[in-house]
Amino acid sequence: MELQVTNSPFNQEQVELLNRLLPTLTEAQRIWLTGYLTALNSAAAPVTSNTAPLVTLAANAVVTSKEVTVLFGSQTGKSQGLAKKVSKKLEERGFQVTLSSMGDFKLNALKKVQNLLILVSTHGEGDPPDNAISFYEFLNSKRAPQLEDLRFSVLALGDTSYEFFCQTGKDFDKRLEELGGKRLTPRVDCDVDFDEPAAEWMNDVISSLSEASVVPAIASGAGVTIESGTESEYSRTNPFKAEVLENLNLNGRGSDRETRHVEISLEGSNLQYEPGDCLGIYPENNPRLVDKLIEEMGWKADDLITINKNGEKRSLRETLLRNYEITVLTKPLLEQVAKLTSNNDLKELLMVGHEQQLKTYLNERDLLDLVQDYSLKGVPANEFVAILRKMPARLYSIASSSKAFPDEVHVTVRTVRYEAQGRDRYGVCSVQLAERVQAGETLPVYIQHNPNFKLPDSPETPIIMIGPGTGVAPFRAFLGEREETGAEGKTWLFYGDQHFSTDFLYQIEWQRWLKEGVLTRMDVAFSRDTDKKVYVQHRMLEKSRELYQWLQEGACVYVCGDEKKMAHDVHAALATIIEQEGGFSAEEAAEYLTRMQQQKRYQRDVY
């Protein structure tokens, strides 16, 4: 509707100005302006008859809370990064945002929250991340309050190659509804390629909150703090082509293992990192596997394939090399493949009641196995490639301090090779680094910040580091940083591998740091050098009294490496040490460790 002098309380000059302005406003700007005028009039002198119609309109609008609580549960920092992003978008639209990790959130404040956004990853076999455990347990306990006034939405991050895909997000979504909460928008479950669905979820949430919150509050500056400084243009969605400076095998001759130490230049990227962060590398599939797959399907390697929504095309071979995952099978993929073929055996495998057979089949098989086992030859390349999952980056704990190595980043990568189903198998990125990447070549990389695995704020705080195998990588960064900053806190490293003579990664550096006092003490466990296998948790138990004394002195504990076995065994060893040396019950020892996690004195980077 166009304003006129006859249908509004404005004079001709005002009408002309408003008619030029109003059509140019976005929805968010119109909402903000409505609230601004209401707030302005409520604080001003008594309203005159000329302004009454506008004030009455705004006063009759539905007004709900403009306060939004954003909670994240994150192991590697992805959920936390998305939580910061949605918080910033909300603040730009006049919302008052409280941003917090679930571990830092005061549980008794939940019953006062009216608008809640949950962003959470799923860790291990359907478990919540470390910093979400206490909140997860509280919600599922008898202490959880009824939440009839709560409106919520959940963004779940996961990986469809795992059986319990996005399980933690699903659990939160279900439990909040059981407690009386109402959904602002439906839960969104994200696979490893999460950018587009996460952006859509943010837009939907903001739209839903804006519709229900017509009158915006005047921004108070409270809530999330937006990081300042110059940010790099390179990111997960725009990786930097970084030059490889060095690529060495750390294992000695005769070792059963191959571990690459890769030094990469970040010069010109403006990419910044801290010890505890990860480097994301976008790998390429093994050319032998790609060529065999094309042959089995009867495709032509130089056929053009559309690779994105912009219509960009590449040859089929290039597409399968760089753009799509072909080494991991998931249930959603098999369900999509079944729609493209009339193979009844494949459809039967996906039927209810065959869950165990499906799980067994998915383990250690790849796309080539699938097309051979179920005779998929003849499915058009364009249709087949369209259902594949985009190539996910591989994340590696950074093994260097940027203070010690400016404009460089180092990673420690164990090469994965094994045989399964009568065929040799290869780790996608690790074998690329071992066999096909030389110094002088480039890799697409980005920094994945991990705020949940960081050195203590005080340089005086003692640290205990537990990292067998390549799990020792971030502790090379920790000690390099402490050497450069002159930190005086005590340091203790537990390290393990198979053989002292061939598998002692970075041995010379640890010895130098021990000599210079940067590393206070080191205990090692080489499992194949003795009749009885000895691991890092055994060394911890042997030093039980001293380790507990360090904990009593305020030491922070860091664990990096295999989640399925090592991390569980180390956790159990810590609980045993606290129980025995501190005179606690098993329940009290568990609570001790929980408090340490909440205080950020027990941090894990496990995979």
Side-chain angles (χ1 to χ4, degrees), residues 34-35 38 55-67 114-115 151 209-217:
T34 303
T38 303
V55 176
T56 303
L57 176 64
N60 289 337
V62 177
V63 182
T64 59
S65 174
K66 292 288 291 185
E67 296 179 355
Q114 293 185 40
N115 298 312
R151 300 183 309 150
L209 285 167
S210 297
E211 289 171 6
S213 307
V214 175
V215 182

Side-chain angles (χ1 to χ4, degrees), residues 247-285:
N247 188 347
L248 304 171
N249 181 12
L250 293 175
N251 294 96
R253 184 175 300 174
S255 175
D256 293 334
R257 301 184 161 188
E258 180 179 0
T259 310
R260 310 304 299 190
H261 170 79
V262 186
E263 299 182 0
I264 297 169
S265 173
L266 296 179
E267 188 174 357
S269 70
N270 200 31
L271 286 169
Q272 309 292 325
Y273 68 87
E274 296 178 351
D277 289 341
C278 295
L279 183 74
I281 301 177
Y282 281 102
E284 294 182 7
N285 284 309

Side-chain angles (χ1 to χ4, degrees), residues 218-502:
I218 304 301
S220 65
V224 65
T225 301
I226 306 304
E227 296 176 4
S228 59
T230 305
E231 292 186 4
S232 172
E233 64 181 292
Y234 300 104
S235 64
R236 181 177 177 275
T237 54
N238 181 34
F240 175 64
K241 290 184 178 179
E243 180 183 355
V244 175
L245 302 173
E246 194 71 80
N247 188 347
L248 304 171
N249 181 12
L250 293 175
N251 294 96
R253 184 175 300 174
S255 175
D256 293 334
R257 301 184 161 188
E258 180 179 0
T259 310
R260 310 304 299 190
H261 170 79
V262 186
E263 299 182 0
I264 297 169
S265 173
L266 296 179
E267 188 174 357
S269 70
N270 200 31
L271 286 169
Q272 309 292 325
Y273 68 87
E274 296 178 351
D277 289 341
C278 295
L279 183 74
I281 301 177
Y282 281 102
E284 294 182 7
N285 284 309
N286 194 304
R288 296 190 295 273
L289 180 61
V290 169
D291 292 339
K292 185 64 176 175
L293 180 62
I294 291 173
E295 178 188 338
E296 286 289 327
M297 292 297 289
W299 294 333
K300 294 181 180 179
D302 55 358
D303 281 353
L304 293 179
I305 299 293
T306 303
I307 63 169
N308 56 36
K309 292 181 178 179
N310 297 327
E312 183 183 349
K313 294 180 182 293
R314 285 185 182 171
S315 73
L316 174 61
R317 189 173 190 273
E318 284 292 302
T319 298
L320 291 177
L321 274 174
R322 295 184 173 86
N323 295 93
Y324 292 99
E325 185 174 65
I326 62 174
T327 58
V328 176
L329 296 181
T330 66
K331 183 180 178 181
L333 174 62
L334 265 63
E335 289 171 339
Q336 291 297 317
V337 171
K339 296 175 183 178
L340 300 178
T341 177
S342 57
N343 190 298
N344 291 324
D345 290 339
L346 178 57
K347 293 175 181 177
E348 184 178 345
L349 180 65
L350 293 163
M351 291 175 64
V352 176
H354 293 185
E355 288 81 8
Q356 188 55 49
Q357 295 97 308
L358 176 62
K359 183 178 179 181
T360 301
Y361 184 79
L362 295 176
N363 185 40
E364 294 188 342
R365 284 183 172 86
D366 59 24
L367 203 58
L368 180 58
D369 293 307
L370 182 67
V371 303
Q372 290 175 331
D373 294 343
Y374 292 98
S375 305
L376 300 179
K377 185 175 182 177
V379 177
N382 258 315
E383 293 182 26
F384 200 96
V385 171
I387 64 174
L388 297 180
R389 193 163 71 161
K390 289 183 180 178
M391 175 72 82
R394 271 51 175 182
L395 292 178
Y396 296 103
S397 301
I398 291 174
S400 56
S401 161
S402 60
K403 290 184 175 64
F405 299 95
D407 286 330
E408 289 184 23
V409 62
H410 303 171
V411 291
T412 312
V413 182
R414 180 145 292 165
T415 305
V416 176
R417 297 185 181 93
Y418 61 98
E419 184 181 323
Q421 313 303 324
R423 182 155 59 83
D424 291 335
R425 314 281 166 154
Y426 309 96
V428 177
C429 193
S430 66
V431 169
Q432 180 189 356
L433 291 174
E435 297 180 358
R436 307 193 303 278
V437 174
Q438 307 296 325
E441 297 181 7
T442 60
L443 290 168
V445 305
Y446 67 95
I447 299 298
Q448 176 65 54
H449 298 291
N450 185 1
N452 307 308
F453 200 73
K454 283 286 171 282
L455 281 165
D457 292 334
S458 171
E460 318 261 303
T461 302
I463 59 174
I464 301 169
M465 302 163 285
I466 305 157
T470 56
V472 82
F475 304 134
R476 181 177 182 264
F478 277 23
L479 292 173
E481 184 85 357
R482 283 206 153 189
E483 179 181 34
E484 291 297 318
T485 59
E488 296 182 357
K490 296 188 297 182
T491 57
W492 189 350
L493 175 63
F494 288 90
Y495 171 75
D497 215 312
Q498 290 189 350
H499 299 285
F500 172 85
S501 60
T502 59

Side-chain angles (χ1 to χ4, degrees), residues 45 80 87 142 323 335 439 477 516 543 553 596:
Q80 184 165 351
S87 297
K142 293 180 180 178
N323 295 93
E335 289 171 339
E516 295 174 358
K543 302 295 190 295
E553 293 171 3
M596 284 186 63

Side-chain angles (χ1 to χ4, degrees), residues 467-598:
T470 56
V472 82
F475 304 134
R476 181 177 182 264
F478 277 23
L479 292 173
E481 184 85 357
R482 283 206 153 189
E483 179 181 34
E484 291 297 318
T485 59
E488 296 182 357
K490 296 188 297 182
T491 57
W492 189 350
L493 175 63
F494 288 90
Y495 171 75
D497 215 312
Q498 290 189 350
H499 299 285
F500 172 85
S501 60
T502 59
D503 306 320
F504 199 164
L505 307 184
Y506 301 115
Q507 178 184 0
I508 294 174
E509 291 184 67
W510 308 131
Q511 290 174 335
R512 178 177 67 82
W513 277 326
L514 279 167
K515 183 179 179 181
E516 295 174 358
V518 177
L519 181 57
T520 308
R521 62 183 298 175
M522 183 176 189
D523 285 277
V524 297
F526 292 99
S527 60
R528 304 301 191 272
D529 283 347
T530 55
D531 293 336
K532 185 179 179 181
K533 292 181 180 178
V534 178
Y535 298 107
V536 287
Q537 64 268 22
H538 300 129
R539 295 296 186 223
M540 292 167 61
L541 291 167
E542 289 172 4
K543 302 295 190 295
S544 177
R545 182 173 298 176
E546 299 100 311
L547 201 153
Y548 182 72
Q549 181 60 42
W550 279 50
L551 295 183
Q552 291 297 95
E553 293 171 3
C556 293
V557 177
Y558 299 89
V559 181
C560 182
D562 170 56
E563 192 270 341
K564 290 183 179 177
K565 180 135 180 66
M566 182 277 297
H568 287 279
D569 291 341
V570 165
H571 186 88
L574 283 170
T576 298
I577 290 168
I578 293 165
E579 185 178 342
Q580 292 179 350
E581 301 297 334
F584 296 115
S585 67
E587 293 76 13
E588 289 169 336
E591 290 174 2
Y592 189 110
L593 282 172
T594 298
R595 285 195 302 274
M596 284 186 63
Q597 285 182 317
Q598 292 171 340

